[in-house]
Amino acid sequence: MKTTRRRAVLASAAALCATAMALTGCTSSTPKTASTAAKLSTLTVMAPYLSTQAPAADNPVGAALEKVIGTKLDVTWVPNSSYGDKTNITLASNDIPDVMVIQGKDSGFVSNAEAGAFWDLTDYLKDYPNLKTNEPQVQEASSINGKVYGVFRARDVMRTAVMVRKDWLKKLGLSMPKTTADLLKVAKAFTDDDPDGDGKKDTYGIAIPKWPGGFATNSPYDAIETWYGAGNDWYQTGGKLEPTFTNPKWIDALNFEKKLVQGGYVNPDYATLDSVDWNQPFLTGKAGIIIDTYSRARQINGLLEKQDPTTYQNMVAVTGNLIGPDGKMHALPTPGYSGFLAIPKASVKTVAQLKGVLSVLNKMNSKRAQIIMNNGLEGQNFTVKDGRALPITTTDGTNLTAIVASYAQLGTNVNGSKFYPPAQPNAYDQQQYDAEIKTMNADTKNAVYNPAAAFVSNTYAQEGATLDNIIVDARLKYISGQDSLDQLKAAIQQWKSSGGSQVISETNDLYKKSKK
């Protein structure tokens, strides 16, 4: 469930920071004019690829896309594993592309953007219908202190899901949980009432791993705390922004988590279970609940199908966010984006050139282009059935699926997905998928967005990892019973005295400036 959040500013990018002045030396802050868009014959791009091999220069997917946008694409494909290093090297060189995929708001990108190395697109995107977003909260979250330095790459806003052993619910005569109180009831029954029927007390309710991220990284704890109304990383109170752990409702949520842990309703190795082994307790019949994402639910269903194709459909039930103790739905969203397409001023020097680039990106977000970049080539690697993309295997040895996955890295989809949703392999999986989409859409209406996502505190950029650890450690010690409530509150004060108060001050200064 871990996602790229405001905390991504901690990523190391020293080499990138050092290039800021070099990147901006050839341009100044260009006034907006009525310049006509320059006609581009070629657009140079740098992007990551996640498959084992980069697309060939003459691949059929790229050729089809170029035909739609009327511009040749000269793409430098970089392995995803080394993309960060390549970004630093490229920006320090004399060969900078027109468009770069930037994977997150790391400190180097923030420094360069604010120094003028990338175009501020805030007042331009509204003039391009396919780049004008219908998710303003996501665009705000992807911005840097309210300024938009890239066209964000949209991802599902809502992914939070609760997976429950459907066979255990049936055996114990229980219903799928709808509230946090229901969750406690089911977790207790899965622990105490022998849901596997072996006559032994050898099961527990919820499987939680040692979370690999810091605070507010969409862990199961973060989901519960949002459901309790504590907020999402930050919350707004009295016209100010405050971290969620200063909200009394956060303490209420921790008391709930403590009840789960102290009651034995969570796996006893919750503090050490490696996240790569997260599925195992569920698959082996030791745990009956996982709080994570819909993609994990699909993964678990697939693994259970391999174990037993005849019974897997009876094993997993899935729902979305749960209703909190106040009777309201406070749904935990993702940031809604995964990086963005940014335009360096070192290569795109004038407003006319900028408008030319944006015109091409506008065409790349058209329906026809989205279909090519996300589904592929109709009749070659997919067909359309009932409005869905049904994959077909290519017979000429070309792995079009891998090529399409690479071009999807160039997609933005900022005003909605216009490509075909995937057809599932059977009626059951299709029914599950359709139900998930329906629940995701319903939960999105109650999404609790992080109100501080756009703001980059200098102190947090330098000390954030240390500050996060104070809260993460304090939370774990409290719910385990190792620390008292007074010790938890003392840890929050330690956070403040260690630089946290400065983070709050800086964040609120930026927040106030954004409202002017």
Side-chain angles (χ1 to χ4, degrees):
M1 191 186 263
K2 184 180 179 183
T3 60
T4 302
R5 305 175 64 80
R6 183 177 59 85
R7 307 202 179 307
V9 300
L10 299 174
S12 174
L16 186 54
C17 291
T19 65
M21 295 308 295
L23 282 168
T24 57
C26 57
T27 61
S28 60
S29 179
T30 308
K32 297 175 179 60
T33 68
S35 302
T36 302
K39 176 68 175 177
L40 304 183
S41 59
T42 300
L43 183 72
T44 58
V45 182
M46 191 175 89
Y49 68 91
L50 282 67
S51 56
T52 56
Q53 188 174 359
D58 58 350
N59 74 83
V61 175
L65 181 59
E66 290 174 351
K67 186 175 181 181
V68 168
I69 65 176
T71 304
K72 179 176 175 56
L73 290 175
D74 182 0
V75 184
T76 299
W77 297 104
V78 180
N80 188 61
S81 59
S82 57
Y83 193 78
D85 290 339
K86 181 63 174 177
T87 299
N88 298 342
I89 293 169
T90 299
L91 288 175
S93 72
N94 294 319
D95 185 17
I96 299 174
D98 302 324
V99 175
M100 297 181 70
V101 172
I102 300 296
Q103 294 182 308
K105 288 193 292 184
D106 63 41
S107 57
F109 179 75
V110 170
S111 297
N112 275 321
E114 293 194 318
F118 294 91
W119 281 95
D120 177 357
L121 306 179
T122 308
D123 296 328
Y124 288 103
L125 296 181
K126 67 181 185 299
D127 297 328
Y128 300 86
N130 293 332
L131 301 181
K132 183 180 179 181
T133 184
N134 59 2
E135 295 283 358
Q137 303 96 327
V138 177
Q139 181 159 289
E140 175 70 13
S142 72
S143 75
I144 297 174
N145 301 328
K147 293 186 177 181
V148 178
Y149 290 101
V151 184
F152 71 85
R153 300 189 302 170
R155 297 295 184 265
D156 289 333
V157 168
M158 192 58 60
R159 299 181 68 218
T160 302
V162 181
M163 291 138 269
V164 183
R165 285 288 297 251
K166 183 168 36 172
D167 54 333
W168 287 11
L169 287 172
K170 183 177 180 180
K171 179 174 176 53
L172 299 179
L174 298 169
S175 299
M176 192 68 176
K178 296 181 180 179
T179 68
T180 51
D182 293 340
L183 179 67
L184 177 62
K185 177 183 176 181
V186 173
K188 183 178 187 301
F190 281 2
T191 304
D192 296 338
D193 297 344
D194 192 23
D196 59 355
D198 66 356
K200 301 177 182 178
K201 188 174 172 57
D202 58 356
T203 60
Y204 46 85
I206 306 176
I208 297 180
K210 178 183 179 182
W211 197 249
F215 180 74
T217 53
N218 285 47
S219 72
Y221 305 119
D222 298 320
I224 291 170
E225 290 149 23
T226 299
W227 297 342
Y228 259 70
N232 174 10
D233 196 357
W234 291 70
Y235 74 109
Q236 189 175 19
T237 178
K240 285 186 59 180
L241 300 182
E242 294 282 349
T244 54
F245 50 81
T246 65
N247 190 333
K249 293 181 180 180
W250 188 75
I251 302 292
D252 294 340
L254 263 61
N255 286 330
F256 177 83
E257 294 164 0
K258 185 176 183 178
K259 190 176 295 185
L260 290 171
V261 171
Q262 296 293 294
Y265 312 143
V266 172
N267 52 301
D269 59 346
Y270 64 92
T272 58
L273 177 66
D274 195 312
S275 58
V276 300
D277 299 320
W278 195 356
N279 294 341
Q280 290 308 305
F282 196 97
L283 296 173
T284 58
K286 294 298 181 184
I289 304 169
I290 288 179
I291 302 169
D292 192 35
T293 65
Y294 288 101
S295 57
R296 184 170 296 278
R298 296 183 201 120
Q299 181 187 78
I300 288 174
N301 252 325
L303 293 170
L304 288 169
E305 183 179 12
K306 290 180 180 179
Q307 286 183 6
D308 190 343
T310 63
T311 64
Y312 84 99
Q313 298 181 5
N314 303 317
M315 300 291 283
V316 185
V318 185
T319 189
N321 290 267
L322 302 183
I323 295 171
D326 61 359
K328 298 178 182 179
M329 168 74 75
H330 308 279
L332 177 64
T334 72
Y337 74 101
S338 178
F340 26 78
L341 304 185
I343 303 172
K345 285 188 175 181
S347 52
V348 179
K349 302 179 187 299
T350 67
V351 171
Q353 289 174 328
L354 171 66
K355 290 183 175 181
V357 171
L358 290 174
S359 295
V360 176
L361 295 182
N362 186 63
K363 293 175 184 177
M364 286 176 64
N365 201 35
S366 66
K367 180 176 180 178
R368 289 176 63 197
Q370 279 199 28
I371 289 172
I372 293 169
M373 290 193 290
N374 292 278
N375 301 125
L377 306 179
E378 187 172 355
Q380 296 187 46
N381 71 298
F382 81 96
T383 58
V384 180
K385 182 179 180 180
D386 299 327
R388 302 184 179 99
L390 184 67
I392 58 178
T393 303
T394 52
T395 57
D396 63 354
T398 303
N399 189 348
L400 288 181
T401 300
I403 297 174
V404 171
S406 295
Y407 277 91
Q409 298 298 307
L410 303 179
T412 55
N413 313 331
V414 294
N415 55 9
S417 298
K418 304 165 189 173
F419 53 90
Y420 299 110
Q424 303 303 306
N426 57 54
Y428 170 77
D429 288 349
Q430 188 65 59
Q431 181 184 32
Q432 292 292 100
Y433 179 83
D434 292 343
E436 290 169 10
I437 297 300
K438 183 178 180 180
T439 303
M440 287 166 62
N441 290 337
D443 282 3
T444 300
K445 297 175 183 177
N446 297 296
V448 179
Y449 292 97
N450 175 5
F455 309 125
V456 182
S457 154
N458 290 331
T459 300
Y460 185 84
Q462 297 170 13
E463 305 293 339
T466 300
L467 291 170
D468 280 355
N469 284 337
I470 293 172
I471 301 302
V472 171
D473 290 347
R475 173 169 62 187
L476 196 61
K477 288 177 180 177
Y478 181 71
I479 66 175
S480 69
Q482 182 178 340
D483 277 2
S484 66
L485 179 59
D486 286 343
Q487 288 172 308
L488 174 65
K489 292 180 177 179
I492 295 173
Q493 290 302 315
Q494 180 191 353
W495 181 90
K496 290 182 177 180
S497 63
S498 300
S501 292
Q502 188 66 22
V503 171
I504 294 174
S505 176
E506 291 170 359
T507 300
N508 277 282
D509 285 345
L510 293 167
Y511 174 62
K512 290 175 184 176
K513 288 179 182 177
S514 73
K515 298 300 180 183
K516 292 180 179 178

